[in-house]
Amino acid sequence: MPEADPRLDPGRWAAASFRPRGAPPAPAPRPRRGFWRRLGGCCGCCGCCRRGAEDWEPPPGEVPGRRPPQPLRPGLLAPRGLVVGSPADRTAHHTAEFACPRLVVRRGQPFGLRVLLPRPFDPDADGLCAPTRRWRRGPTSSSRWARPRPPAGRPRRRRRRRRTRGAERPGGPALRLCLTAPPDAPIGRYRLSVKTRTRAGEYAAPFEDANDFFLLFNPWCPDDAVYMEKTSDLNEYVLNETGRIFYGTEDQIAERSWNYGQFDAGVLEACLYILDRRGMPHGARGDPVMVSRVVSAMVNSLDDNGVLVGNWTGDYAQGTNPSAWAGSVDILRSYHGAGAPVRYGQCWVFAGVMTTVLRCLGLPTRTVTNYNSAHDTDVSLTTDIYFDENMRPLERLNTDSVWNFHVWNDCWMKRPDLPDGYDGWQVVDATPQETSSGLFCCGPCSVTAVKNGEVFLKYDTPFVFAEVNSDKVYWQRQPGGGFAIVHVEEGAIGRRISTLGPGSGARLDVTHQYKHPEGSEEERRAVSTATSHGSRPRNRGAPSSGEVTLTVGAGPAVAGAELELRAVARNDGAEPRTLRLRLALCAVRYTGVSGAPFRQEQHRRAVPPGQGEARRRPPPPGARVPPAAPGPRRRPCPPPEETVTMTVAYAEYGPHVGDQDALKLTVAGAVEETGQVVAKELRVRLHTPELTLTLLAPAVVGQETPVQVVFQNPLPEPLRGATLRMEGAGISCPKPFAMGSVGAGQAVRLRQAVVPQRPGRRRLVAALESAQLGPLHGVLQLDVAPAPAGSTGSPPRRPRRARRRAPPPAGSTGG
């Protein structure tokens, strides 16, 4: 879009307020200066950050957003109408999937405009320009006066066709124009009109709602800040409407399908409403750094009544269990319609909604899961665990925690605000953990800066570094009252960082993008660089060692079945050792918060020496080695092992394990002869069955399609209060279904009807939530056929039953 012509007067209609129909009144305006300065997007000197969209009101007697009709004098060139864009433009801009009646285009790429005129355009005497406005604020830009020439050659004859509502008016001359938004233009909804000039004067056509269009980021444009050179990945990071989010533990990785649905009806309007609700200045909406930072602050409800209310208490009576959500569409529609935060969400829900919003706006985004994710609360860039003189934990000092898993987002963009070399993936996290410049938001933080430990670069790099590459430091209180480091555990934080790989649909390990190989010189240098900028600089500690080693494990962990846990002690020394062990079992939330132990055992075991220790020791230099005796070669015997087993029935652990909980086995002991201390920890996630979805009839656009859902209760007790929720991109699904009581081991078959809205390959996601069982998920892939020719796309009506008539009486003629 060329710059505004100074000869054009946009008029007072530019300063009008537009609110969605049916939406509640906007909250009272708040000062924007402080918020925007905290986000780092405005200096505050011009006052633009203090003007929100709600501050503008139309003049008395005028309709918001509409220019008053101009009197039509003889000789003026008044267009009959506009045709904005075409199906070809939607395909070229990769926006054909948007279920939006208005045109959706991307910046830096041309799209067509057809101006219907009452007479042929005279390029020598007539002039024309196409002014545009941002939908909620004043004028942005307009094309300069041009004298376009009609295409050469004989015009084609038009076919006579049936005129429908919203279609192009048949007959009459028309003028084709080509508009292009700058690659750094602010995103949002724009108003488009036409202004003509003849010898009789100028005529400005009114702004019509049907001519509005949406402008988004363009990762296919090399001049755009979100340009991704490998365009094959954009099919996953921008266009894919269904993905998978990983959860569980490092050793037991689980996954759930998630419906992003960024192209569904109402989602684009909801995403732009999020920016309007925060009062983000329109001039800053062309910067992906600021847009991602605002979205990170708005997806959670703290500070600004954003989209989702976080809840980790386990009590979800006032809303929806976070495990029950199957996608982002219902959440965004509810927030846009009611204007109130949706209850409730946890990290994977925040990340799923964040992916939907950023992909909808045009930013390449992926959902990332980090296992053993640390939460550093004191900016020490280490995970600190404190003990007293007797090695008992000091809970009042142990504020740092290690989450079983944590989910955030990576978005792709250039970083002109950082030195060269930090473009590419940037971490953004909407889960409210710590404040950033006074707000609950996180990022964008360069993944490259995290990998190199350059925590002095913005935004929030120290917090993200501690999540993926901090060391676990064990401190013990000394007799003088101070604390000393007794053990350092390296490589325990930031394990198996996972996302969905583009194209393959398999889990992709991206740990190497966040950190150098564990224990390498580059990785240790990054840790040293980061901790030197922390609140407690330290030297590297030496890990402890000894003759007796301890390992922990578990048998098959299935919800409802008996669980077997074991601890194995091995003695690599030449003398027998006596080991005292203490085993404690408790439930642990995925955020690392542990409950009180409900099972504790103490054991005293004798561990025999490792026979053959001297045989494995290399001979001294210069010693003569006798030749091996003939005969079969004997394999060296492994060191003796002593195994301690703990068997736990479901009746014992069932009441303590809730939604998204795991079981934590803590084994600690000491060797009586040497005083060596050994300790290990094991987290076990209980496996749950998946939902089986089956398509019972061909899927056709606009027609009800039956789907069967099969579920079997694995628990030895009845399951009560379960709720089934279904969601799919381009699929209209029924409301959540409350199931009755399901007996122990009983299999249930449910029949649900869905209505596809768009043709092509679609995925239907189902989630079953209950208080007694963890989240159950299922996914069904279906190929939707287009609606039959002549069909209106509405669901078919059931045929009326023929009314039975009584037989005519005897002797009647039947007439």
Side-chain angles (χ1 to χ4, degrees), residues 489-682:
E489 188 176 359
E490 301 173 357
I493 302 299
R495 307 284 296 178
R496 307 185 73 175
I497 305 176
S498 306
T499 187
L500 187 63
S504 64
R507 186 184 71 88
L508 177 65
D509 195 307
V510 294
T511 309
H512 64 282
Q513 298 182 13
Y514 279 85
K515 52 200 297 189
H516 296 282
E518 200 67 57
S520 64
E521 182 179 353
E522 295 83 358
E523 189 266 343
R524 287 291 95 193
R525 186 185 303 114
V527 173
S528 177
T529 302
T531 54
S532 65
H533 293 83
S535 61
R536 191 188 300 112
R538 65 172 183 85
N539 296 323
R540 179 180 178 182
S544 60
S545 60
E547 297 176 339
V548 178
T549 59
L550 186 67
T551 58
V552 291
V558 180
E562 188 178 70
L563 179 63
E564 180 180 312
L565 306 172
R566 57 182 175 271
V568 181
R570 300 176 61 179
N571 183 7
D572 293 331
E575 300 293 335
R577 300 301 181 196
T578 304
L579 182 65
R580 292 183 178 272
L581 288 179
R582 179 180 180 272
L583 284 70
L585 185 64
C586 66
V588 57
R589 304 302 303 271
Y590 88 93
T591 56
V593 179
S594 302
F598 60 86
R599 175 82 174 271
Q600 299 187 50
E601 295 181 1
Q602 294 184 359
H603 299 269
R604 185 178 183 273
R605 297 294 176 90
V607 185
Q611 302 297 330
E613 179 67 19
R615 185 171 61 246
R616 291 194 301 269
R617 189 176 304 163
R624 182 176 180 273
V625 180
R633 185 176 181 181
R634 296 182 180 181
R635 296 182 179 179
C637 298
E641 299 177 348
E642 186 67 23
T643 303
V644 177
T645 304
M646 175 188 287
T647 303
V648 189
Y650 170 76
E652 186 175 1
Y653 70 78
H656 302 278
V657 180
D659 184 26
Q660 292 294 339
D661 287 358
L663 292 173
K664 183 174 73 171
L665 174 66
T666 303
V667 182
V671 180
E672 292 183 353
E673 291 81 4
T674 63
Q676 177 192 351
V677 177
V678 293
K680 280 292 181 179
E681 184 179 279
L682 174 67

Side-chain angles (χ1 to χ4, degrees), residues 231-287:
T231 57
S232 59
D233 292 350
L234 294 175
N235 293 328
E236 171 65 33
Y237 300 135
V238 177
L239 302 181
N240 190 7
E241 298 181 77
T242 307
R244 285 181 290 171
I245 300 178
F246 299 95
Y247 67 102
T249 62
E250 173 192 357
D251 299 322
Q252 298 168 308
I253 294 180
E255 62 183 41
R256 60 176 299 162
S257 297
W258 189 268
N259 176 44
Y260 297 122
Q262 65 267 28
F263 302 133
D264 277 11
V267 173
L268 177 57
E269 292 82 356
C271 295
L272 295 177
Y273 172 72
I274 291 175
L275 304 182
D276 294 336
R277 182 69 178 267
R278 178 63 266 184
M280 183 181 185
H282 288 262
R285 300 189 186 189
D287 184 4

Side-chain angles (χ1 to χ4, degrees), residues 296-298 300 302-303 429-436 438-442:
S296 171
M298 281 297 297
N300 65 77
L302 298 179
D303 301 322
D429 191 354
T431 303
Q433 299 183 80
E434 298 289 336
T435 58
S436 172
L439 297 173
F440 280 96
C441 61
C442 181

Side-chain angles (χ1 to χ4, degrees), residues 728 730-734 753-757:
I731 303 176
S732 177
C733 300
V754 299
V755 182
Q757 304 294 331

